[in-house]
Amino acid sequence: MNIIKKQYWDLNNEDMHKLYELGQASGALESVFYDTSVSPELFELFARRAECFGAIQDEQGTFIGLFFLNHFEGGSARLNLGLFNEQPISVIAWEAVIEWCFNTFEFRCLTFVMPAHQQKRTVVSALGWQYLGIIPGMCWVEKRKRCVDGHLYVTVPYTHRTLPTKRIE
């Protein structure tokens, strides 16, 4: 399967609106922004200011997710990824984005932070991300008006490439 990644400048206003609507309806924006109170304006601002913002499409051109890469420093960056439907393609989409990140920017590692209240740890771990621990107060959650603990994960180029692609329940 071929997953297509489009960066911010490749997307028109209609695409951005569609990404926002799909992200809100599916809960993907909660994965990326840690809560659901993201306005269209804030979404657009983050997309424009991110060091790298991308949309993920399947072979038919249907949007299946979005991602932000930020905090580029010393051969690493932080990945925030939200998929519109958790389905078998999820693992393939995650793998495609990770592969693209490593090949495009030649990172030595990627980090991923997940608020303690989110339940996607099994997917991240199954993809070969190594759990590093909890960072107290790492994630601002607008809906709660406070910072919550974040789970920190890391992956390196050779870790995710050796994993078999399998369906995650």
Side-chain angles (χ1 to χ4, degrees):
M1 166 160 292
N2 184 27
I3 303 292
I4 302 160
K5 285 79 54 195
K6 287 189 170 184
Q7 292 193 36
Y8 177 75
W9 50 82
D10 297 325
L11 301 165
N12 59 35
N13 288 340
E14 183 180 326
D15 290 337
M16 291 301 291
H17 179 72
K18 189 181 295 184
L19 286 169
Y20 178 80
E21 293 298 322
L22 288 167
Q24 281 290 69
S26 68
L29 290 185
E30 184 173 1
S31 293
V32 174
F33 293 101
Y34 312 144
D35 68 32
T36 56
S37 60
V38 178
S39 68
E41 296 78 22
L42 183 60
F43 175 73
E44 174 80 21
L45 180 67
F46 268 86
R48 201 176 305 144
R49 291 196 176 164
E51 292 176 69
C52 179
F53 167 79
I56 311 161
Q57 293 178 300
D58 64 14
E59 292 170 325
Q60 291 74 41
T62 303
F63 288 116
I64 59 173
L66 56 96
F67 65 94
F68 288 86
L69 271 176
N70 283 305
H71 307 288
F72 287 47
E73 187 176 326
S76 69
R78 185 183 321 156
L79 174 65
N80 291 24
L81 175 66
L83 298 173
F84 300 144
N85 294 306
E86 294 299 327
Q87 52 188 348
I89 195 164
S90 298
V91 173
I92 298 167
W94 268 87
E95 285 290 311
V97 169
I98 294 166
E99 185 81 22
W100 181 83
C101 291
F102 281 127
N103 290 336
T104 302
F105 299 103
E106 298 182 6
F107 292 128
R108 291 188 295 274
C109 74
L110 290 172
T111 60
F112 179 78
V113 176
M114 179 185 316
H117 67 277
Q118 288 187 355
Q119 300 300 317
K120 296 188 182 198
R121 289 187 283 272
T122 54
V123 173
V124 176
S125 295
L127 287 167
W129 292 74
Q130 299 299 308
Y131 180 69
L132 298 181
I134 294 175
I135 302 174
M138 176 72 177
C139 306
W140 172 257
V141 178
E142 180 65 28
K143 183 170 44 178
R144 297 178 183 191
K145 300 287 187 214
R146 66 183 177 97
C147 292
V148 299
D149 296 347
H151 294 273
L152 178 62
Y153 293 84
V154 66
T155 192
V156 295
Y158 57 83
T159 303
H160 78 280
R161 291 185 184 143
T162 60
L163 293 172
T165 302
K166 61 181 177 181
R167 182 181 175 146
I168 311 266
E169 298 295 332

